Amino acid sequence: MKKGFVFDLDGVITDTAKFHYIAWKELADSIGITIDLEFNEQLKGISRMDSLDRILAYGGKENDYTKEQKEEMAADKNANYVKLLEDLTPDDQLPGVKAFLDEAREKKVPCSLASASKNAPFILKKLGVYDYFNAIVDPATLKKGKPDPEIFVRAAELINIDPSEAIGFEDAQAGVEGIKGAGMYAIGVEGHEPLTQADMTIKSFEELNVSELLEL
Ligand code: B16
Ligand code: MG
C-alpha cells in the first residue's frame, strides 16, 4: 500500500524546459557556445550550477571562468528565465495534473515536491497549485543534486512517510534514478527520451487515478 506522492516539477506538473532552454541559449551564445535542443535534454532535472558546468564543458570552456564569474552567469540566466515565467498561468499545467491533485486532496493523500528548481514555489503559485502541496523540499539545503536520491528521501520525510510507501513522478532520467535510489516506486512521465528504470511510464496524468495507485 502506498501512502503519499512525491512530484518533480518541470516536465511533470508543467513544462518550463522551453524557457530554461531560451535563457541558457542566450547565455551560451554570449560566451561563444552553441547549444541545441538535443543537448538541452541533458539539463533536465540538473541544478542551475551543474547545468552551467555542463554547458561550459560542452563548449570546452570548463576552466575559463572563476567561481564568481560563474555565479554571475547563473544569476543572469536566472533573471532572464524568471522574466519568461511571468506569463505562466493555470493553463500551463500539464494535462490531468489538476484532476489528479484534486483527487489526492479529496482522499487526504499527502503530496510533496522534489524539484531541483529554486523557483519552484513561484512557479507553483503562478500555476495555481501551490496549496496542494503539504511540503516543498528546499533544494538549497541539499548536499547533492539528482541523480542522488537525497531530494526524494527528504520529500518523503517531510510528509512523514517511508520512501517505500511513496510514489515518485519524474520526467528526467536523472530523476527516475534518484527515485529508485531512494527505494520508491517510480512513475516516469515520458517526453523525449525513454525512461528505462521507471516501474511504470505514462504520457500524462490523464492515464492515472489515485485509488488505483494507492493499491500498488
Ligand atoms: P532553477 P525539476 C529542474 O527542475 C529543471 O529540470 C532543470 O532544467 C533546472 O536547471 C533545475 O530545475 C534548476 O532550476 O534554475 O529554477 O533553480 O525538473 O527538478 O523540477
Ligand atoms: Mg523534471
Side-chain angles (χ1 to χ4, degrees):
M1 281 286 284
K2 302 297 178 194
K3 294 187 178 160
F5 299 130
V6 172
F7 296 81
D8 173 49
L9 176 60
D10 292 341
V12 169
I13 291 172
T14 188
D15 182 17
T16 49
K18 52 184 183 280
F19 300 135
H20 280 296
Y21 178 64
I22 294 170
W24 277 131
K25 188 159 177 56
E26 196 176 312
L27 189 272
D29 281 345
S30 75
I31 53 171
I33 298 175
T34 305
I35 60 167
D36 57 18
L37 279 167
E38 195 191 333
F39 172 79
N40 193 53
E41 287 299 305
Q42 291 178 37
L43 305 181
K44 289 189 175 174
I46 304 301
S47 76
R48 198 179 305 165
M49 200 39 91
D50 287 351
S51 299
L52 177 58
D53 283 337
R54 285 191 188 202
I55 291 169
L56 294 177
Y58 182 70
K61 295 183 189 270
E62 61 270 50
N63 299 316
D64 292 11
Y65 299 96
T66 63
K67 191 168 174 275
E68 288 69 29
Q69 285 171 318
K70 289 204 296 181
E71 269 158 15
E72 206 173 302
M73 286 191 249
D76 284 350
K77 179 267 172 180
N78 190 55
N80 279 333
Y81 174 62
V82 171
K83 254 187 244 158
L84 297 169
L85 293 178
E86 277 302 335
D87 295 333
L88 276 187
T89 72
D91 284 342
D92 293 298
Q93 294 163 11
L94 286 174
V97 165
K98 185 71 185 324
F100 188 87
L101 289 172
D102 274 328
E103 198 191 341
R105 174 187 270 178
E106 192 192 304
K107 301 205 159 78
K108 300 196 167 37
V109 183
C111 295
S112 59
L113 194 83
S115 167
S117 177
K118 293 180 176 161
N119 298 298
F122 175 69
I123 295 171
L124 290 179
K125 282 176 195 158
K126 283 279 193 188
L127 295 172
V129 294
Y130 181 82
D131 292 341
Y132 285 85
F133 291 87
N134 303 83
I136 297 173
V137 176
D138 177 358
T141 63
L142 301 171
K143 287 193 194 75
K144 289 184 174 173
K146 300 171 189 179
D148 193 274
E150 185 182 14
I151 190 168
F152 296 102
V153 171
R154 183 84 62 81
E157 222 170 70
L158 289 174
I159 50 172
N160 301 311
I161 61 173
D162 190 81
S164 65
E165 300 169 321
I167 294 178
F169 299 94
E170 256 291 350
D171 69 305
Q173 191 59 44
V176 171
E177 240 177 274
I179 292 176
K180 292 313 296 170
M184 293 181 185
Y185 188 90
I187 299 187
V189 183
E190 279 193 339
H192 302 269
E193 9 153 32
L195 300 166
T196 46
Q197 293 178 47
D199 296 297
M200 180 198 294
T201 56
I202 56 167
K203 289 268 174 238
S204 92
F205 275 86
E206 289 167 314
E207 296 163 45
L208 298 177
N209 73 68
V210 169
S211 336
E212 271 175 31
L213 290 183
L214 296 178
E215 298 299 325
L216 285 171

